Amino acid sequence: IVLTIVFSRVFRIAIEGYPAYVLSALIAWTFITQSSSNIIGSLVWSGDLQQRIYIPRSTFAFSAIGTGLVNLTLSMVPLIAVTLFIGIPLHATLILSPLVMILLAMFSMGIGLLISTIGIYFADVVEMYQIVLSAWFYITPIIYPLDVLPKNVQAVLQFNPAVHLINLFRDLVFVGTIPPMQNWLLCLFISLATLLIGWLVFTGKADEFAYRT
Protein backbone atom coordinates (compact mmCIF):
# COMPACT_ATOMS: atom_id res chain seq x y z
CA ILE A 1 0.00 0.00 0.00
CA VAL A 2 2.80 2.40 0.96
CA LEU A 3 4.73 1.68 -2.22
CA THR A 4 1.58 2.11 -4.28
CA ILE A 5 0.92 5.55 -2.78
CA VAL A 6 4.55 6.70 -3.06
CA PHE A 7 5.07 5.67 -6.67
CA SER A 8 1.69 6.88 -7.85
CA ARG A 9 2.07 10.30 -6.19
CA VAL A 10 5.78 11.10 -6.16
CA PHE A 11 6.59 9.69 -9.58
CA ARG A 12 3.14 10.63 -10.94
CA ILE A 13 2.49 7.27 -12.48
CA ALA A 14 -0.90 7.66 -14.12
CA ILE A 15 -2.18 4.15 -14.67
CA GLU A 16 -5.87 3.39 -14.44
CA GLY A 17 -6.38 0.81 -11.71
CA TYR A 18 -2.84 1.26 -10.40
CA PRO A 19 -3.41 -0.83 -7.22
CA ALA A 20 -4.44 -3.82 -9.36
CA TYR A 21 -1.55 -3.07 -11.73
CA VAL A 22 0.92 -3.40 -8.86
CA LEU A 23 -0.78 -6.39 -7.27
CA SER A 24 -0.88 -8.33 -10.55
CA ALA A 25 2.91 -8.22 -10.72
CA LEU A 26 3.52 -8.42 -6.99
CA ILE A 27 1.87 -11.82 -6.58
CA ALA A 28 4.02 -13.24 -9.38
CA TRP A 29 7.14 -11.72 -7.83
CA THR A 30 6.20 -13.05 -4.39
CA PHE A 31 5.85 -16.52 -5.86
CA ILE A 32 9.34 -16.37 -7.36
CA THR A 33 10.98 -15.12 -4.18
CA GLN A 34 9.13 -17.30 -1.69
CA SER A 35 9.34 -20.50 -3.72
CA SER A 36 13.04 -20.15 -4.49
CA SER A 37 13.82 -19.16 -0.89
CA ASN A 38 11.83 -22.11 0.45
CA ILE A 39 13.70 -24.49 -1.84
CA ILE A 40 17.02 -23.09 -0.68
CA GLY A 41 16.04 -23.24 2.99
CA SER A 42 14.69 -26.78 2.83
CA LEU A 43 17.70 -28.16 0.95
CA VAL A 44 20.51 -26.31 2.69
CA TRP A 45 19.29 -26.64 6.27
CA SER A 46 17.82 -30.16 6.21
CA GLY A 47 21.07 -32.08 6.42
CA ASP A 48 20.20 -33.88 9.67
CA LEU A 49 16.90 -35.13 8.29
CA GLN A 50 18.53 -36.27 5.07
CA GLN A 51 21.10 -38.28 7.02
CA ARG A 52 18.48 -40.06 9.15
CA ILE A 53 15.85 -40.72 6.48
CA TYR A 54 16.39 -41.35 2.80
CA ILE A 55 14.31 -38.83 0.91
CA PRO A 56 15.01 -37.91 -2.70
CA ARG A 57 16.55 -34.44 -2.49
CA SER A 58 14.29 -33.13 -5.21
CA THR A 59 11.25 -33.87 -3.01
CA PHE A 60 11.97 -30.75 -0.96
CA ALA A 61 12.09 -28.62 -4.09
CA PHE A 62 8.89 -30.01 -5.59
CA SER A 63 7.12 -29.57 -2.25
CA ALA A 64 8.15 -25.90 -2.08
CA ILE A 65 6.98 -25.30 -5.65
CA GLY A 66 3.69 -27.06 -5.00
CA THR A 67 3.04 -24.94 -1.93
CA GLY A 68 3.97 -21.82 -3.85
CA LEU A 69 1.56 -22.64 -6.68
CA VAL A 70 -1.28 -23.13 -4.19
CA ASN A 71 -0.49 -19.76 -2.60
CA LEU A 72 -0.24 -18.10 -6.01
CA THR A 73 -3.62 -19.50 -7.02
CA LEU A 74 -5.17 -18.28 -3.77
CA SER A 75 -3.59 -14.86 -4.34
CA MET A 76 -5.70 -14.51 -7.46
CA VAL A 77 -8.77 -14.10 -5.24
CA PRO A 78 -7.72 -10.77 -3.64
CA LEU A 79 -6.39 -9.63 -7.02
CA ILE A 80 -9.78 -10.21 -8.61
CA ALA A 81 -11.50 -8.57 -5.64
CA VAL A 82 -9.29 -5.46 -5.82
CA THR A 83 -9.71 -5.27 -9.59
CA LEU A 84 -13.48 -5.33 -9.35
CA PHE A 85 -13.55 -2.96 -6.37
CA ILE A 86 -11.71 -0.21 -8.23
CA GLY A 87 -13.90 -0.62 -11.29
CA ILE A 88 -11.52 -2.44 -13.64
CA PRO A 89 -13.21 -5.18 -15.71
CA LEU A 90 -11.93 -8.72 -15.67
CA HIS A 91 -10.58 -10.10 -18.92
CA ALA A 92 -11.05 -13.48 -20.57
CA THR A 93 -7.26 -13.75 -20.90
CA LEU A 94 -7.23 -14.51 -17.16
CA ILE A 95 -7.92 -18.16 -17.99
CA LEU A 96 -4.47 -18.39 -19.62
CA SER A 97 -2.67 -17.38 -16.42
CA PRO A 98 -1.97 -21.03 -15.39
CA LEU A 99 0.35 -21.28 -18.39
CA VAL A 100 2.48 -18.46 -17.03
CA MET A 101 2.29 -19.97 -13.54
CA ILE A 102 3.99 -23.07 -14.95
CA LEU A 103 6.74 -20.92 -16.45
CA LEU A 104 7.16 -19.10 -13.13
CA ALA A 105 7.39 -22.46 -11.34
CA MET A 106 10.08 -23.70 -13.71
CA PHE A 107 12.09 -20.50 -13.32
CA SER A 108 11.78 -20.50 -9.51
CA MET A 109 12.75 -24.17 -9.33
CA GLY A 110 15.87 -23.55 -11.38
CA ILE A 111 16.93 -20.56 -9.27
CA GLY A 112 16.26 -22.43 -6.02
CA LEU A 113 18.20 -25.53 -7.06
CA LEU A 114 21.14 -23.52 -8.34
CA ILE A 115 21.48 -21.27 -5.28
CA SER A 116 20.98 -24.13 -2.81
CA THR A 117 23.71 -26.17 -4.51
CA ILE A 118 26.13 -23.25 -4.28
CA GLY A 119 24.94 -22.67 -0.72
CA ILE A 120 26.11 -26.04 0.57
CA TYR A 121 29.67 -24.96 -0.24
CA PHE A 122 29.34 -21.27 0.61
CA ALA A 123 26.71 -20.71 3.32
CA ASP A 124 26.96 -16.92 2.97
CA VAL A 125 25.43 -17.20 -0.48
CA VAL A 126 22.09 -18.10 1.12
CA GLU A 127 22.08 -14.88 3.14
CA MET A 128 23.32 -12.86 0.18
CA TYR A 129 20.44 -14.14 -1.91
CA GLN A 130 17.96 -12.31 0.31
CA ILE A 131 19.91 -9.09 -0.23
CA VAL A 132 19.96 -9.71 -3.97
CA LEU A 133 16.19 -10.18 -3.93
CA SER A 134 15.73 -6.73 -2.40
CA ALA A 135 17.75 -5.11 -5.18
CA TRP A 136 16.18 -7.34 -7.83
CA PHE A 137 12.72 -6.13 -6.78
CA TYR A 138 13.51 -2.51 -7.66
CA ILE A 139 15.05 -3.30 -11.04
CA THR A 140 11.94 -5.22 -12.02
CA PRO A 141 8.90 -3.20 -13.22
CA ILE A 142 6.52 -4.26 -10.48
CA ILE A 143 5.51 -0.92 -8.98
CA TYR A 144 6.33 1.16 -12.05
CA PRO A 145 5.92 0.67 -15.82
CA LEU A 146 9.08 0.04 -17.77
CA ASP A 147 8.41 2.92 -20.14
CA VAL A 148 8.87 5.59 -17.43
CA LEU A 149 12.59 4.81 -17.47
CA PRO A 150 15.13 6.22 -19.95
CA LYS A 151 15.57 4.17 -23.10
CA ASN A 152 19.10 3.11 -22.21
CA VAL A 153 17.94 1.83 -18.81
CA GLN A 154 15.06 -0.03 -20.44
CA ALA A 155 17.54 -1.72 -22.75
CA VAL A 156 19.67 -2.87 -19.82
CA LEU A 157 16.66 -4.21 -17.92
CA GLN A 158 15.80 -6.45 -20.85
CA PHE A 159 18.55 -8.71 -19.49
CA ASN A 160 16.54 -9.15 -16.29
CA PRO A 161 14.61 -12.43 -16.81
CA ALA A 162 11.96 -11.48 -14.25
CA VAL A 163 10.96 -8.50 -16.43
CA HIS A 164 9.69 -10.76 -19.20
CA LEU A 165 7.98 -13.31 -16.97
CA ILE A 166 6.18 -10.75 -14.85
CA ASN A 167 5.11 -8.67 -17.85
CA LEU A 168 3.72 -11.82 -19.47
CA PHE A 169 1.68 -12.56 -16.34
CA ARG A 170 0.50 -8.96 -15.99
CA ASP A 171 -0.58 -8.74 -19.63
CA LEU A 172 -2.94 -11.67 -19.10
CA VAL A 173 -4.39 -10.89 -15.68
CA PHE A 174 -4.47 -7.07 -15.74
CA VAL A 175 -4.02 -5.62 -19.22
CA GLY A 176 -6.21 -8.23 -20.86
CA THR A 177 -4.07 -8.85 -23.93
CA ILE A 178 -2.46 -12.01 -25.22
CA PRO A 179 1.26 -11.28 -25.66
CA PRO A 180 2.89 -11.96 -29.04
CA MET A 181 4.26 -15.43 -29.67
CA GLN A 182 7.86 -14.20 -29.42
CA ASN A 183 7.19 -13.09 -25.85
CA TRP A 184 5.89 -16.55 -24.97
CA LEU A 185 8.86 -18.24 -26.62
CA LEU A 186 11.32 -15.95 -24.84
CA CYS A 187 9.75 -16.70 -21.46
CA LEU A 188 9.68 -20.41 -22.25
CA PHE A 189 13.37 -20.28 -23.13
CA ILE A 190 14.23 -18.37 -19.94
CA SER A 191 12.29 -20.80 -17.76
CA LEU A 192 13.57 -23.96 -19.44
CA ALA A 193 17.17 -22.77 -19.49
CA THR A 194 17.07 -21.75 -15.81
CA LEU A 195 15.45 -25.04 -14.80
CA LEU A 196 17.88 -27.11 -16.85
CA ILE A 197 20.95 -25.35 -15.48
CA GLY A 198 19.68 -25.56 -11.91
CA TRP A 199 18.70 -29.21 -12.27
CA LEU A 200 22.01 -30.29 -13.81
CA VAL A 201 24.05 -28.49 -11.16
CA PHE A 202 21.82 -29.84 -8.39
CA THR A 203 21.75 -33.47 -9.52
CA GLY A 204 25.52 -33.41 -9.97
CA LYS A 205 26.00 -32.54 -6.29
CA ALA A 206 22.83 -33.96 -4.71
CA ASP A 207 24.66 -36.75 -2.85
CA GLU A 208 26.73 -34.20 -0.96
CA PHE A 209 23.79 -32.30 0.54
CA ALA A 210 23.38 -34.54 3.59
CA TYR A 211 27.05 -34.31 4.50
CA ARG A 212 27.77 -30.66 3.85
CA THR A 213 24.68 -29.07 5.45
Side-chain angles (χ1 to χ4, degrees), residues 149-164:
L149 302 175
K151 294 294 185 182
N152 58 332
V153 176
Q154 291 184 40
V156 172
L157 291 186
Q158 295 302 314
F159 293 96
N160 176 359
V163 169
H164 306 285

mmCIF file with all atom_site columns, all heavy atoms in Angstrom, residues 149-164:
data_model
loop_
_atom_site.group_PDB
_atom_site.id
_atom_site.type_symbol
_atom_site.label_atom_id
_atom_site.label_alt_id
_atom_site.label_comp_id
_atom_site.label_asym_id
_atom_site.label_entity_id
_atom_site.label_seq_id
_atom_site.pdbx_PDB_ins_code
_atom_site.Cartn_x
_atom_site.Cartn_y
_atom_site.Cartn_z
_atom_site.occupancy
_atom_site.B_iso_or_equiv
_atom_site.pdbx_formal_charge
_atom_site.auth_seq_id
_atom_site.auth_comp_id
_atom_site.auth_asym_id
_atom_site.auth_atom_id
_atom_site.pdbx_PDB_model_num
ATOM 1   N N   . LEU A 1 149 ? 11.135 4.750   -17.598 1.00 0.00 ? 149 LEU A N   1
ATOM 2   C CA  . LEU A 1 149 ? 12.592 4.814   -17.474 1.00 0.00 ? 149 LEU A CA  1
ATOM 3   C C   . LEU A 1 149 ? 13.220 5.279   -18.785 1.00 0.00 ? 149 LEU A C   1
ATOM 4   O O   . LEU A 1 149 ? 12.627 5.133   -19.859 1.00 0.00 ? 149 LEU A O   1
ATOM 5   C CB  . LEU A 1 149 ? 13.147 3.437   -17.103 1.00 0.00 ? 149 LEU A CB  1
ATOM 6   C CG  . LEU A 1 149 ? 12.616 2.817   -15.808 1.00 0.00 ? 149 LEU A CG  1
ATOM 7   C CD1 . LEU A 1 149 ? 13.161 1.406   -15.639 1.00 0.00 ? 149 LEU A CD1 1
ATOM 8   C CD2 . LEU A 1 149 ? 12.984 3.669   -14.598 1.00 0.00 ? 149 LEU A CD2 1
ATOM 9   N N   . PRO A 1 150 ? 14.427 5.835   -18.718 1.00 0.00 ? 150 PRO A N   1
ATOM 10  C CA  . PRO A 1 150 ? 15.131 6.222   -19.945 1.00 0.00 ? 150 PRO A CA  1
ATOM 11  C C   . PRO A 1 150 ? 15.348 5.006   -20.845 1.00 0.00 ? 150 PRO A C   1
ATOM 12  O O   . PRO A 1 150 ? 15.436 3.872   -20.368 1.00 0.00 ? 150 PRO A O   1
ATOM 13  C CB  . PRO A 1 150 ? 16.472 6.770   -19.422 1.00 0.00 ? 150 PRO A CB  1
ATOM 14  C CG  . PRO A 1 150 ? 16.184 7.176   -18.014 1.00 0.00 ? 150 PRO A CG  1
ATOM 15  C CD  . PRO A 1 150 ? 15.171 6.210   -17.499 1.00 0.00 ? 150 PRO A CD  1
ATOM 16  N N   . LYS A 1 151 ? 15.443 5.258   -22.125 1.00 0.00 ? 151 LYS A N   1
ATOM 17  C CA  . LYS A 1 151 ? 15.568 4.174   -23.097 1.00 0.00 ? 151 LYS A CA  1
ATOM 18  C C   . LYS A 1 151 ? 16.783 3.290   -22.837 1.00 0.00 ? 151 LYS A C   1
ATOM 19  O O   . LYS A 1 151 ? 16.716 2.068   -22.982 1.00 0.00 ? 151 LYS A O   1
ATOM 20  C CB  . LYS A 1 151 ? 15.662 4.753   -24.518 1.00 0.00 ? 151 LYS A CB  1
ATOM 21  C CG  . LYS A 1 151 ? 14.397 5.460   -24.994 1.00 0.00 ? 151 LYS A CG  1
ATOM 22  C CD  . LYS A 1 151 ? 13.250 4.463   -25.151 1.00 0.00 ? 151 LYS A CD  1
ATOM 23  C CE  . LYS A 1 151 ? 12.021 5.157   -25.736 1.00 0.00 ? 151 LYS A CE  1
ATOM 24  N NZ  . LYS A 1 151 ? 10.864 4.217   -25.860 1.00 0.00 ? 151 LYS A NZ  1
ATOM 25  N N   . ASN A 1 152 ? 17.893 3.913   -22.441 1.00 0.00 ? 152 ASN A N   1
ATOM 26  C CA  . ASN A 1 152 ? 19.096 3.111   -22.205 1.00 0.00 ? 152 ASN A CA  1
ATOM 27  C C   . ASN A 1 152 ? 18.936 2.197   -20.994 1.00 0.00 ? 152 ASN A C   1
ATOM 28  O O   . ASN A 1 152 ? 19.440 1.074   -20.964 1.00 0.00 ? 152 ASN A O   1
ATOM 29  C CB  . ASN A 1 152 ? 20.324 4.006   -22.043 1.00 0.00 ? 152 ASN A CB  1
ATOM 30  C CG  . ASN A 1 152 ? 20.169 5.010   -20.907 1.00 0.00 ? 152 ASN A CG  1
ATOM 31  O OD1 . ASN A 1 152 ? 19.058 5.412   -20.565 1.00 0.00 ? 152 ASN A OD1 1
ATOM 32  N ND2 . ASN A 1 152 ? 21.290 5.424   -20.335 1.00 0.00 ? 152 ASN A ND2 1
ATOM 33  N N   . VAL A 1 153 ? 18.198 2.667   -19.984 1.00 0.00 ? 153 VAL A N   1
ATOM 34  C CA  . VAL A 1 153 ? 17.941 1.832   -18.806 1.00 0.00 ? 153 VAL A CA  1
ATOM 35  C C   . VAL A 1 153 ? 16.988 0.699   -19.175 1.00 0.00 ? 153 VAL A C   1
ATOM 36  O O   . VAL A 1 153 ? 17.165 -0.442  -18.734 1.00 0.00 ? 153 VAL A O   1
ATOM 37  C CB  . VAL A 1 153 ? 17.351 2.675   -17.660 1.00 0.00 ? 153 VAL A CB  1
ATOM 38  C CG1 . VAL A 1 153 ? 16.999 1.785   -16.466 1.00 0.00 ? 153 VAL A CG1 1
ATOM 39  C CG2 . VAL A 1 153 ? 18.329 3.762   -17.243 1.00 0.00 ? 153 VAL A CG2 1
ATOM 40  N N   . GLN A 1 154 ? 15.985 1.014   -19.991 1.00 0.00 ? 154 GLN A N   1
ATOM 41  C CA  . GLN A 1 154 ? 15.060 -0.028  -20.438 1.00 0.00 ? 154 GLN A CA  1
ATOM 42  C C   . GLN A 1 154 ? 15.804 -1.134  -21.177 1.00 0.00 ? 154 GLN A C   1
ATOM 43  O O   . GLN A 1 154 ? 15.507 -2.322  -20.991 1.00 0.00 ? 154 GLN A O   1
ATOM 44  C CB  . GLN A 1 154 ? 14.001 0.574   -21.363 1.00 0.00 ? 154 GLN A CB  1
ATOM 45  C CG  . GLN A 1 154 ? 13.017 1.506   -20.693 1.00 0.00 ? 154 GLN A CG  1
ATOM 46  C CD  . GLN A 1 154 ? 11.943 1.991   -21.652 1.00 0.00 ? 154 GLN A CD  1
ATOM 47  O OE1 . GLN A 1 154 ? 11.445 1.230   -22.483 1.00 0.00 ? 154 GLN A OE1 1
ATOM 48  N NE2 . GLN A 1 154 ? 11.593 3.271   -21.563 1.00 0.00 ? 154 GLN A NE2 1
ATOM 49  N N   . ALA A 1 155 ? 16.773 -0.733  -21.984 1.00 0.00 ? 155 ALA A N   1
ATOM 50  C CA  . ALA A 1 155 ? 17.543 -1.721  -22.751 1.00 0.00 ? 155 ALA A CA  1
ATOM 51  C C   . ALA A 1 155 ? 18.332 -2.638  -21.825 1.00 0.00 ? 155 ALA A C   1
ATOM 52  O O   . ALA A 1 155 ? 18.399 -3.855  -22.047 1.00 0.00 ? 155 ALA A O   1
ATOM 53  C CB  . ALA A 1 155 ? 18.486 -1.003  -23.718 1.00 0.00 ? 155 ALA A CB  1
ATOM 54  N N   . VAL A 1 156 ? 18.899 -2.076  -20.777 1.00 0.00 ? 156 VAL A N   1
ATOM 55  C CA  . VAL A 1 156 ? 19.669 -2.870  -19.824 1.00 0.00 ? 156 VAL A CA  1
ATOM 56  C C   . VAL A 1 156 ? 18.765 -3.844  -19.077 1.00 0.00 ? 156 VAL A C   1
ATOM 57  O O   . VAL A 1 156 ? 19.114 -5.013  -18.857 1.00 0.00 ? 156 VAL A O   1
ATOM 58  C CB  . VAL A 1 156 ? 20.414 -1.958  -18.819 1.00 0.00 ? 156 VAL A CB  1
ATOM 59  C CG1 . VAL A 1 156 ? 21.051 -2.786  -17.702 1.00 0.00 ? 156 VAL A CG1 1
ATOM 60  C CG2 . VAL A 1 156 ? 21.472 -1.126  -19.535 1.00 0.00 ? 156 VAL A CG2 1
ATOM 61  N N   . LEU A 1 157 ? 17.579 -3.371  -18.698 1.00 0.00 ? 157 LEU A N   1
ATOM 62  C CA  . LEU A 1 157 ? 16.660 -4.207  -17.918 1.00 0.00 ? 157 LEU A CA  1
ATOM 63  C C   . LEU A 1 157 ? 16.080 -5.360  -18.727 1.00 0.00 ? 157 LEU A C   1
ATOM 64  O O   . LEU A 1 157 ? 15.491 -6.278  -18.151 1.00 0.00 ? 157 LEU A O   1
ATOM 65  C CB  . LEU A 1 157 ? 15.529 -3.356  -17.330 1.00 0.00 ? 157 LEU A CB  1
ATOM 66  C CG  . LEU A 1 157 ? 15.929 -2.365  -16.237 1.00 0.00 ? 157 LEU A CG  1
ATOM 67  C CD1 . LEU A 1 157 ? 14.694 -1.697  -15.634 1.00 0.00 ? 157 LEU A CD1 1
ATOM 68  C CD2 . LEU A 1 157 ? 16.728 -3.057  -15.135 1.00 0.00 ? 157 LEU A CD2 1
ATOM 69  N N   . GLN A 1 158 ? 16.251 -5.320  -20.038 1.00 0.00 ? 158 GLN A N   1
ATOM 70  C CA  . GLN A 1 158 ? 15.798 -6.448  -20.846 1.00 0.00 ? 158 GLN A CA  1
ATOM 71  C C   . GLN A 1 158 ? 16.581 -7.712  -20.519 1.00 0.00 ? 158 GLN A C   1
ATOM 72  O O   . GLN A 1 158 ? 16.151 -8.830  -20.839 1.00 0.00 ? 158 GLN A O   1
ATOM 73  C CB  . GLN A 1 158 ? 15.933 -6.121  -22.341 1.00 0.00 ? 158 GLN A CB  1
ATOM 74  C CG  . GLN A 1 158 ? 15.035 -5.003  -22.821 1.00 0.00 ? 158 GLN A CG  1
ATOM 75  C CD  . GLN A 1 158 ? 13.558 -5.269  -22.575 1.00 0.00 ? 158 GLN A CD  1
ATOM 76  O OE1 . GLN A 1 158 ? 13.072 -6.360  -22.854 1.00 0.00 ? 158 GLN A OE1 1
ATOM 77  N NE2 . GLN A 1 158 ? 12.855 -4.270  -22.076 1.00 0.00 ? 158 GLN A NE2 1
ATOM 78  N N   . PHE A 1 159 ? 17.749 -7.555  -19.883 1.00 0.00 ? 159 PHE A N   1
ATOM 79  C CA  . PHE A 1 159 ? 18.554 -8.710  -19.485 1.00 0.00 ? 159 PHE A CA  1
ATOM 80  C C   . PHE A 1 159 ? 18.093 -9.290  -18.143 1.00 0.00 ? 159 PHE A C   1
ATOM 81  O O   . PHE A 1 159 ? 18.640 -10.289 -17.680 1.00 0.00 ? 159 PHE A O   1
ATOM 82  C CB  . PHE A 1 159 ? 20.036 -8.323  -19.398 1.00 0.00 ? 159 PHE A CB  1
ATOM 83  C CG  . PHE A 1 159 ? 20.648 -7.993  -20.731 1.00 0.00 ? 159 PHE A CG  1
ATOM 84  C CD1 . PHE A 1 159 ? 20.752 -6.682  -21.166 1.00 0.00 ? 159 PHE A CD1 1
ATOM 85  C CD2 . PHE A 1 159 ? 21.095 -9.006  -21.580 1.00 0.00 ? 159 PHE A CD2 1
ATOM 86  C CE1 . PHE A 1 159 ? 21.300 -6.364  -22.398 1.00 0.00 ? 159 PHE A CE1 1
ATOM 87  C CE2 . PHE A 1 159 ? 21.645 -8.712  -22.813 1.00 0.00 ? 159 PHE A CE2 1
ATOM 88  C CZ  . PHE A 1 159 ? 21.751 -7.383  -23.236 1.00 0.00 ? 159 PHE A CZ  1
ATOM 89  N N   . ASN A 1 160 ? 17.122 -8.655  -17.529 1.00 0.00 ? 160 ASN A N   1
ATOM 90  C CA  . ASN A 1 160 ? 16.541 -9.154  -16.289 1.00 0.00 ? 160 ASN A CA  1
ATOM 91  C C   . ASN A 1 160 ? 15.435 -10.145 -16.650 1.00 0.00 ? 160 ASN A C   1
ATOM 92  O O   . ASN A 1 160 ? 14.391 -9.747  -17.168 1.00 0.00 ? 160 ASN A O   1
ATOM 93  C CB  . ASN A 1 160 ? 15.975 -7.978  -15.480 1.00 0.00 ? 160 ASN A CB  1
ATOM 94  C CG  . ASN A 1 160 ? 15.256 -8.416  -14.218 1.00 0.00 ? 160 ASN A CG  1
ATOM 95  O OD1 . ASN A 1 160 ? 15.145 -9.597  -13.910 1.00 0.00 ? 160 ASN A OD1 1
ATOM 96  N ND2 . ASN A 1 160 ? 14.756 -7.448  -13.466 1.00 0.00 ? 160 ASN A ND2 1
ATOM 97  N N   . PRO A 1 161 ? 15.620 -11.439 -16.391 1.00 0.00 ? 161 PRO A N   1
ATOM 98  C CA  . PRO A 1 161 ? 14.609 -12.429 -16.814 1.00 0.00 ? 161 PRO A CA  1
ATOM 99  C C   . PRO A 1 161 ? 13.246 -12.225 -16.166 1.00 0.00 ? 161 PRO A C   1
ATOM 100 O O   . PRO A 1 161 ? 12.216 -12.533 -16.768 1.00 0.00 ? 161 PRO A O   1
ATOM 101 C CB  . PRO A 1 161 ? 15.231 -13.768 -16.398 1.00 0.00 ? 161 PRO A CB  1
ATOM 102 C CG  . PRO A 1 161 ? 16.212 -13.419 -15.314 1.00 0.00 ? 161 PRO A CG  1
ATOM 103 C CD  . PRO A 1 161 ? 16.751 -12.074 -15.699 1.00 0.00 ? 161 PRO A CD  1
ATOM 104 N N   . ALA A 1 162 ? 13.236 -11.686 -14.947 1.00 0.00 ? 162 ALA A N   1
ATOM 105 C CA  . ALA A 1 162 ? 11.961 -11.476 -14.254 1.00 0.00 ? 162 ALA A CA  1
ATOM 106 C C   . ALA A 1 162 ? 11.095 -10.446 -14.971 1.00 0.00 ? 162 ALA A C   1
ATOM 107 O O   . ALA A 1 162 ? 9.861  -10.484 -14.869 1.00 0.00 ? 162 ALA A O   1
ATOM 108 C CB  . ALA A 1 162 ? 12.213 -11.042 -12.811 1.00 0.00 ? 162 ALA A CB  1
ATOM 109 N N   . VAL A 1 163 ? 11.708 -9.520  -15.681 1.00 0.00 ? 163 VAL A N   1
ATOM 110 C CA  . VAL A 1 163 ? 10.963 -8.499  -16.427 1.00 0.00 ? 163 VAL A CA  1
ATOM 111 C C   . VAL A 1 163 ? 10.001 -9.165  -17.407 1.00 0.00 ? 163 VAL A C   1
ATOM 112 O O   . VAL A 1 163 ? 8.813  -8.832  -17.479 1.00 0.00 ? 163 VAL A O   1
ATOM 113 C CB  . VAL A 1 163 ? 11.920 -7.555  -17.187 1.00 0.00 ? 163 VAL A CB  1
ATOM 114 C CG1 . VAL A 1 163 ? 11.151 -6.680  -18.168 1.00 0.00 ? 163 VAL A CG1 1
ATOM 115 C CG2 . VAL A 1 163 ? 12.686 -6.680  -16.210 1.00 0.00 ? 163 VAL A CG2 1
ATOM 116 N N   . HIS A 1 164 ? 10.492 -10.126 -18.155 1.00 0.00 ? 164 HIS A N   1
ATOM 117 C CA  . HIS A 1 164 ? 9.693  -10.762 -19.203 1.00 0.00 ? 164 HIS A CA  1
ATOM 118 C C   . HIS A 1 164 ? 8.607  -11.668 -18.613 1.00 0.00 ? 164 HIS A C   1
ATOM 119 O O   . HIS A 1 164 ? 7.468  -11.669 -19.091 1.00 0.00 ? 164 HIS A O   1
ATOM 120 C CB  . HIS A 1 164 ? 10.618 -11.549 -20.125 1.00 0.00 ? 164 HIS A CB  1
ATOM 121 C CG  . HIS A 1 164 ? 11.743 -10.732 -20.682 1.00 0.00 ? 164 HIS A CG  1
ATOM 122 N ND1 . HIS A 1 164 ? 11.556 -9.809  -21.683 1.00 0.00 ? 164 HIS A ND1 1
ATOM 123 C CD2 . HIS A 1 164 ? 13.065 -10.670 -20.344 1.00 0.00 ? 164 HIS A CD2 1
ATOM 124 C CE1 . HIS A 1 164 ? 12.716 -9.225  -21.970 1.00 0.00 ? 164 HIS A CE1 1
ATOM 125 N NE2 . HIS A 1 164 ? 13.637 -9.727  -21.167 1.00 0.00 ? 164 HIS A NE2 1
#
